[in-house]
Amino acid sequence: MHKKIRLAVVAGVMAAAAGAAIVAEAQTNVAQTVQARKDVMRGNGRALASIQPMLRNEQPWNAQTAAAAMTSVRDGMRGLPSLFPAGSGAQAGIETRALPAIWDQRAAFEAQVASIVTAADQLVTLAQAGNEAGFRAGMGAVTQVCGSCHTTFRAPQ
Ligand code: HEC
């Protein structure tokens, strides 16, 4: 092979390898971001599960447990938008149920986040004030946002 051509081929192979490395790294970042948001969502699930027995009167009311559960939802959800950066939707090698609507209707998505943060924050205040009846009455507002956001922005399984 002519020396110049050989050099060009080597350069081409190296560029391709660098490109593949960049793609692999980007994919690792997306995978980590997707895992982080799933962890937040599982935290939401655990928070709701932790207060279910109380809400069903299977366990006595515990203001601390109630406040802790809603603090976890509120704080987890505050950081949610940053866990849905552009380019972190469904793609090869990434398991996610995030729908394109998250990026197509960003304002609506963030409005759902804001609304659950507000609802959870109000419940923290109610629990800390020992207002069991108020807490019970307000729980629906939180679970309703879980459901409506999933309906619009999460692919069915
Ligand atoms: C602002 C929108 C939004 C709100 C509010 C929301 N979720 Fe989610 N949730 C999502 C999206 C989007 C996914 C899919 C994430 C993915 O697969 O990348 C998801 C996934 C999940 C999952 C599956 C996680 C996994 O391991 O794959 C659970 C469980 C969950 N959410 C529970 C909840 C609960 C409980 C609430 C309410 C306290 C809630 N979510 C509120 C958008 C939301």
Side-chain angles (χ1 to χ4, degrees):
M1 214 188 284
H2 190 280
K3 199 175 173 196
K4 259 190 194 158
I5 295 176
R6 206 164 55 210
L7 275 177
V9 169
V10 169
V13 168
M14 282 171 68
I22 289 168
V23 168
E25 194 187 300
Q27 218 172 34
T28 306
N29 290 342
V30 171
Q32 282 167 353
T33 303
V34 168
Q35 191 54 53
R37 68 198 187 207
K38 286 180 180 174
D39 288 346
V40 169
M41 289 298 164
R42 282 174 202 172
N44 281 341
R46 276 194 303 274
L48 291 195
S50 74
I51 55 174
Q52 270 316 312
M54 268 176 1
L55 297 178
R56 292 199 194 114
N57 296 314
E58 292 159 9
Q59 264 175 24
W61 165 253
N62 183 316
Q64 260 182 338
T65 305
M70 286 305 120
T71 300
S72 159
V73 170
R74 181 194 65 196
D75 294 351
M77 296 307 272
R78 266 195 186 134
L80 200 70
S82 68
L83 297 177
F84 287 88
S88 68
Q91 57 198 277
I94 301 291
E95 267 187 49
T96 175
R97 288 165 68 192
L99 287 175
I102 291 169
W103 296 278
D104 297 345
Q105 302 167 36
R106 189 69 184 191
F109 179 72
E110 293 196 6
Q112 299 266 27
V113 173
S115 119
I116 199 162
V117 167
T118 303
D121 189 52
Q122 282 165 353
L123 289 188
V124 172
T125 305
L126 288 166
Q128 283 169 345
N131 189 341
E132 180 186 346
F135 186 93
R136 285 177 181 274
M139 264 312 292
V142 168
T143 51
Q144 204 187 345
V145 187
C146 309
S148 79
C149 191
H150 291 160
T151 303
T152 316
F153 297 108
R154 182 174 71 160
Q157 233 161 1

